[in-house]
Amino acid sequence: MDLALCRTCWSNTAIRGLWDTVHPPTGLDNVVQVVVSVCDPWKVLVDVSNATRLKGGGQSNAERLAELFPKSQVVKGFNVVSAWALQAGAHDGSRQVLICSDCSDSKAAVLQLTRRLGFSPVDVGGLCASRDIEEAPLMLFPSWGGPILATFLLFLFFYGYSFVRHILLPYLDKGENSFYQLPLVTVNEALPAVALVTLALVYLPGLLAAVLQLGRGTKYKRFPRWLDSWLCGRKQLGLLSFLCAALHAVYSVCLALRRAAGYTLLNAAYRQVKAGVENSWVEQQVWRSDLYLSCGILGFGVLALLAVTSLPSVGNALNWREFTFVQSGLGYAALTLSVMHTLFFGWDFAFFPFAYPYYLPPVYLLALILPCTVLVGRIFLALPCITWRLAKIRRGWESARHRPPNIQEPAEVDPPRSSGDV
C-alpha cells in the first residue's frame, strides 16, 4: 500500500525508504497543492499537521484533507512525535504515536509501519478524533492544572496565616518588627504544612471512593465527576508533595546559615552566661529534636521512593501487586511518619496558652487535621467486617438492590488477602 506524508520533513533513512516524503511550507492550502502534484488516487495520505489554536472548532485538517481527496484514504498520525524523537530514535524520545482513520485497512498499514519504526501506536478511533490529536501538542501540562492550583492555594493560605500570626499582629499590637522572617522562616513554616496536607489529599479520594462503593453496594456505578478527576490527579499531587518536602529540607538546612540565627545564638549564650548557667542540657528537648528529625528523614526517604516509582520507566517494571504495595502501603507509611514528625515537633506546646497568641492555633495543628482524618478513615476501613465487604464488592459482588429479582446471590468465596487501594 502506497503512503504519502503531508506537511513534514523526515530525516530518518528508514522512513525515506518507505514513504514518499514531501517538504511543503506551512498552511493547509500549500499542503494541498503539493499533495495534488505528487499524490495518485487511492494513495494513503498521512496527515501530520497540528492545530493552530486550542478549541478552534470546525473541521480538523485531516477532515478537510479527506474532503479534498475523496479517492484517497486519510490517516491522522505522527503529529505528537517531536523532531527530537525522530532525530534520536524511538529509544530516546516519546514512543507513543496517536493514530486515527475511517479506513481500517489504511490505519492498519500505518500502525504496522509505526511498530516497524520502533514506536508504540495507539489507535484512537475514527477520523472524528483527529481534532483532539491535532490539539494535543498545543496543550501545556493538561493534567497538572488542578493539582498545581490546589497546592498554590494551600501555600497562600498557610503563608498568609503564618504572616498574620507571627508578623502582622505582633507588629500592630506591640510594634515588633519581624518582617525579616518573610523570605525564609515564614516560607519554611508554610512548606511542610503544604507537603503534609497535599500528601493527605493523595489518599483521601481513595477513602471516599471506598465509602461510596460500600454505600452503593456495587462497583459498577461511576464515581462523581469531581471524584473521578481527583483520583486521576493523585500522582501529580504526590509529586508536588515531594517537591514541597524537598524544599522544606533545603530551607531547614539554610536556617542555620542565616545571619539572624548567629545573632540569636550569641544572644542566648550571653543570657546563659549572665544568668550563671553552666549546663543548659534539657533531656526532654534532646529527645524531642532527635525524634522529630528521625521521623522526618524516614518520611522523606519513603516519599522519595514513591516519587521514583511514579516514573513510567520504573512503574512499568513492577507488577500490579508490587505497585500497589509501594503506592498504597508505603504511601500510608510516609503519611504516618510525616504526622509523627509533626507531632514530635509540636511536642506538648499545644497544651500551653502561650501557643495560641491572639487565639490563633499553631500552623502545624491546622496541617494535622486532614492527615489525621485520613489515617483514622484508613484504620476504619481496615476493620475485618469492612474489609470483607469491600473486597467482595471490588471482586464483582453486588447487593440485592442492584441484582435482578431472578438472579440469586452467588456463593461467597474468600476474597484475596490484599485488595489494594482504589
Side-chain angles (χ1 to χ4, degrees), residues 179-367:
F179 287 91
Y180 67 90
Q181 297 181 1
L182 287 175
L184 195 65
V185 177
T186 308
V187 174
N188 192 47
E189 191 170 1
L191 282 175
V194 175
L196 187 58
V197 175
T198 307
L199 185 60
L201 291 176
V202 174
Y203 297 98
L204 180 59
L207 300 181
L208 297 178
V211 171
L212 280 178
Q213 289 178 341
L214 289 171
R216 295 171 173 177
T218 180
K219 70 171 185 178
Y220 297 109
K221 283 189 175 182
R222 286 190 61 88
F223 295 133
R225 190 170 183 178
W226 59 270
L227 183 57
D228 193 26
S229 301
W230 193 353
L231 288 168
C232 293
R234 291 182 295 176
K235 173 183 176 179
Q236 289 78 11
L237 288 172
L239 292 175
L240 290 172
S241 175
F242 172 72
L243 173 63
C244 293
L247 292 177
H248 169 56
V250 175
Y251 270 77
S252 298
V253 173
C254 294
L255 284 177
L257 305 178
R258 300 179 305 142
R259 182 60 61 89
Y263 290 151
T264 303
L265 183 61
L266 289 176
N267 292 336
Y270 175 76
R271 288 194 298 268
Q272 179 178 341
V273 173
K274 187 176 180 180
V277 179
E278 297 182 357
N279 187 4
S280 60
W281 180 276
V282 180
E283 186 75 17
Q284 187 181 27
Q285 294 302 318
V286 171
W287 276 98
R288 166 184 170 267
S289 63
D290 288 359
L291 286 174
Y292 88 76
L293 286 175
S294 179
C295 291
I297 294 172
L298 291 175
F300 181 73
V302 177
L303 195 60
L305 180 60
L306 293 175
V308 171
T309 55
S310 66
L311 297 175
S313 58
V314 179
N316 293 337
L318 304 176
N319 59 37
W320 174 245
R321 187 172 184 181
E322 293 170 345
F323 185 80
T324 303
F325 170 76
V326 172
Q327 294 295 329
S328 181
L330 294 185
Y332 276 105
L335 183 61
T336 303
L337 289 171
S338 301
V339 169
M340 293 175 60
H341 168 70
T342 308
L343 290 175
F344 284 131
F345 174 80
W347 206 244
D348 59 348
F349 297 149
F351 299 101
F352 295 98
F354 64 81
Y356 301 87
Y358 310 102
Y359 303 101
L360 297 177
V363 174
Y364 66 85
L365 279 185
L366 298 179

Side-chain angles (χ1 to χ4, degrees), residues 126-141:
L127 208 59
C128 59
S130 58
R131 167 63 64 180
D132 296 332
I133 298 179
E134 291 175 0
E135 294 180 352
L138 304 181
M139 296 181 180
L140 181 64
F141 302 112

